[in-house]
Amino acid sequence: MGISTPTVGEIQYEFSKKVFTELLNNKPKFVDYLNTEKTPLLLMDTEGVKSRYVQIKYHMPDVEVYYAVKANDHPQVIKVLVEVGAGFEVASVRELQEVLSAGASPERIISSNPVKPPEFIDFAYSSGVQRFAVDSFSEIDKIQRIAPRARIYVRITVPNEGSDWPLSRKFGTDPDTALEILDYSRRKGLIPIGITFHVGSQCNNLRNWFIAIKRASLLWNKAKDRGIRLLTLNMGGGIPVRYSYESVKIEDIAYYVKGLLRKYFPVPPYELQIEPGRGIVGDQGLMITKVIGKAERGNEKWLYIDTGVFNGLAEAIGGIRYPFYLESKGELKEWTIGGVSCDSMDVVARNVFLPEPEVGQLLYIPSAGAYTTVYASEFNGFPKPRVICL
Ligand SMILES: Cc1ncc(COP(=O)(O)O)c(C=O)c1O
């Protein structure tokens, strides 16, 4: 009688099953929709969204939370976050209109995209939004022309290692240039107020926060030596959620970040901010898709579902590894999961262990609340997921 060691596939599938089962235990109201005919469907738990916000505030009571609307802009999601007192981070006229019409106050709205369309700056400033991120001199010139007394915070680059969705390649500047940008904004009549960074989305590497906070504190002190008294430290997004592997918990991030802040900001900034997107909505959604076909290509077993990287699962091509679950028993086999469109880049996942599905069977994808519907198009004529908020 030997002890049998579980295979990689068994471990992977057990984890997905655990994520799915726990999701249903926490969200019994999802159960009524598990046999839906009309797929793809995204179920969102708006009470859960609220609880996530409250949980983050509980662990970081001194930090103002600005929800990054880009993660999921569903009106119900925005509505519950307004009710619970969240601030909002927006990038476009439409996002801003959505949060304003849901009742958010302009003083609780910031814009952290460092390069903004002039129409957006104009609309935001005239609506009462005053705080804008920058990472270039040219953005200062643009803002100064449109919003002459705007408040400016500068984005610095920080390591994004270990973040499944890195963001530092496109935005941010080095601390020396950031200092010059802050100084330039002051000379232009704008009001330099702070520093921002982003450790990368789905960040499971606490070291990124360490380097970021340390780097920000050096810049903060150099600005002070130049007579620029900053008020705001914005620590961006990055809070991870559980996908096909466990993620760092918010309480651990909060504990670590608070320690770093005590060390590197002995005099606390007037306002500490974070702007999570994924960390608030990511694990509050369940995507329900349907298996529409199967094929064997050489040694590879393929299954095809009615969602894909163009109509809901875009992040699958950039490093997000969703868990997958099927209500089936039987031997686990290794699958490549193809999306619904004709495009060959529409591959949702590889090396996924699942029991053999029937065509027509539902495939469940937990942790699909962030960056799914917002990215979706109707490429090839396939619909975006319906969304039901419960
Ligand atoms: C400027 C900015 N803030 C916040 C976020 C939200 O990040 P996350 O979803 O990792 O919390 C993003 C994501 O792209 C961002 O670009």
Side-chain angles (χ1 to χ4, degrees):
M1 281 208 301
I3 299 172
S4 69
T5 318
T7 62
V8 173
E10 283 163 354
I11 293 170
Q12 189 203 84
Y13 190 61
E14 270 311 305
F15 189 80
S16 297
K17 190 172 169 184
K18 175 177 134 136
V19 174
F20 179 73
T21 315
E22 287 181 4
L23 182 87
L24 292 190
N25 288 343
N26 288 333
K27 305 180 190 315
K29 51 196 170 184
F30 280 11
V31 172
D32 291 345
Y33 295 85
L34 289 185
N35 294 318
T36 182
E37 283 294 315
K38 230 173 121 200
T39 54
L41 169 65
L42 176 68
L43 297 176
M44 281 301 297
D45 176 7
T46 45
E47 281 305 308
V49 169
K50 252 193 207 174
S51 317
R52 272 277 174 270
Y53 171 83
V54 172
Q55 190 191 20
I56 293 174
K57 279 301 286 181
Y58 175 80
H59 290 293
M60 298 181 151
D62 299 330
V63 177
E64 291 299 322
V65 179
Y66 294 81
Y67 170 62
V69 175
K70 64 192 71 122
N72 186 323
D73 63 356
H74 194 282
Q76 289 289 106
V77 168
I78 293 172
K79 180 171 166 281
V80 294
L81 288 171
V82 170
E83 279 166 15
V84 84
F88 294 90
E89 190 277 316
V90 300
S92 62
V93 169
R94 210 194 71 197
E95 283 185 354
L96 179 53
Q97 281 168 335
E98 279 169 5
V99 298
L100 288 174
S101 65
S105 136
E107 296 89 66
R108 301 280 294 138
I109 302 173
I110 58 175
S111 180
S112 297
N113 185 344
V115 182
K116 294 163 282 301
E119 312 77 61
F120 168 71
I121 301 171
D122 194 15
F123 177 63
Y125 194 59
S126 57
S127 304
V129 176
Q130 300 212 328
R131 293 173 288 175
F132 300 95
V134 299
D135 65 0
S136 64
F137 295 98
S138 136
E139 191 72 5
I140 295 290
D141 292 337
K142 193 205 298 168
I143 294 178
Q144 193 271 334
R145 279 195 298 275
I146 307 168
R149 294 296 286 159
R151 283 140 177 73
I152 298 300
Y153 50 107
V154 69
R155 173 140 161 197
I156 54 171
T157 41
V158 299
N160 276 204
E161 280 152 36
S163 301
D164 286 352
W165 198 267
L167 292 165
S168 251
R169 285 195 291 265
K170 185 168 168 193
F171 293 121
T173 186
D174 63 277
D176 289 342
T177 311
L179 180 60
E180 298 311 323
I181 290 172
L182 288 170
D183 209 352
Y184 184 62
S185 74
R186 178 172 64 165
R187 294 202 300 279
K188 288 289 231 175
L190 297 168
I191 305 167
I193 58 158
I195 301 169
T196 183
F197 56 76
H198 200 303
V199 292
S201 200
Q202 185 66 8
C203 176
N204 277 294
N205 182 1
L206 292 176
R207 189 169 176 274
N208 291 351
W209 272 285
F210 162 57
I211 307 278
I213 290 172
K214 188 172 165 193
R215 205 171 273 178
S217 99
L218 287 173
L219 174 58
W220 189 277
N221 292 330
K222 280 190 184 167
K224 190 166 154 211
D225 293 344
R226 280 242 191 139
I228 304 171
R229 292 206 168 258
L230 298 177
L231 301 168
T232 306
L233 177 64
N234 176 313
M235 298 179 283
I239 296 173
V241 298
R242 187 158 76 159
Y243 285 101
S244 59
Y245 56 93
E246 207 48 85
S247 61
V248 181
K249 303 240 173 322
I250 177 62
E251 47 268 47
D252 296 330
I253 296 171
Y255 182 80
Y256 187 70
V257 163
K258 281 188 278 191
L260 291 170
L261 289 170
R262 273 196 299 278
K263 180 168 159 77
Y264 291 108
F265 287 86
V267 180
Y270 174 76
E271 185 173 338
L272 282 167
Q273 304 174 344
I274 50 169
E275 44 189 37
R278 193 186 304 279
I280 289 189
V281 289
D283 56 2
Q284 300 308 316
L286 172 69
M287 186 82 82
I288 307 183
T289 69
K290 195 174 285 153
V291 176
I292 55 164
K294 294 189 285 185
E296 296 215 3
R297 309 196 188 285
N299 292 332
E300 230 178 341
K301 294 175 87 59
W302 285 74
L303 67 84
Y304 296 84
I305 57 175
D306 62 1
T307 322
V309 302
F310 299 106
N311 67 334
L313 299 171
E315 286 205 312
I317 47 174
I320 296 299
R321 283 165 287 148
Y322 291 102
F324 298 94
Y325 181 73
L326 270 171
E327 298 274 15
S328 264
K329 298 234 178 321
E331 187 198 343
L332 293 178
K333 295 178 182 164
E334 189 171 349
W335 300 90
T336 301
I337 303 183
V340 64
S341 77
C342 294
D343 198 305
S344 60
M345 74 179 275
D346 191 2
V347 176
V348 171
R350 292 180 190 277
N351 313 111
V352 177
F353 288 86
L354 290 169
E356 176 102 27
E358 298 296 325
V359 172
Q361 200 175 348
L362 298 177
L363 179 73
Y364 301 104
I365 312 179
S367 303
Y371 303 110
T372 47
T373 48
V374 283
Y375 273 139
S377 78
E378 293 190 349
F379 171 60
N380 232 187
F382 294 107
K384 301 177 190 184
R386 277 186 305 142
V387 181
I388 298 182
C389 289
L390 297 164

Short mmCIF file of all heavy atoms in Angstrom, two decimals, residues 79 138 216:
data_model
loop_
_atom_site.label_atom_id
_atom_site.label_comp_id
_atom_site.label_asym_id
_atom_site.label_seq_id
_atom_site.Cartn_x
_atom_site.Cartn_y
_atom_site.Cartn_z
N LYS A 79 -22.29 52.31 -8.28
CA LYS A 79 -23.32 52.77 -7.33
C LYS A 79 -23.01 52.31 -5.89
O LYS A 79 -23.04 53.11 -4.96
CB LYS A 79 -24.68 52.22 -7.79
CG LYS A 79 -25.84 52.60 -6.91
CD LYS A 79 -27.15 52.18 -7.59
CE LYS A 79 -28.32 52.22 -6.63
NZ LYS A 79 -28.42 51.09 -5.73
N SER A 138 5.73 67.71 -21.21
CA SER A 138 4.72 68.06 -22.19
C SER A 138 3.31 67.98 -21.61
O SER A 138 2.43 68.78 -21.94
CB SER A 138 4.93 67.16 -23.41
OG SER A 138 3.77 66.68 -23.90
N ALA A 216 9.98 56.70 -3.45
CA ALA A 216 9.09 57.86 -3.31
C ALA A 216 9.56 58.75 -2.16
O ALA A 216 9.51 59.98 -2.25
CB ALA A 216 7.66 57.40 -3.07
#
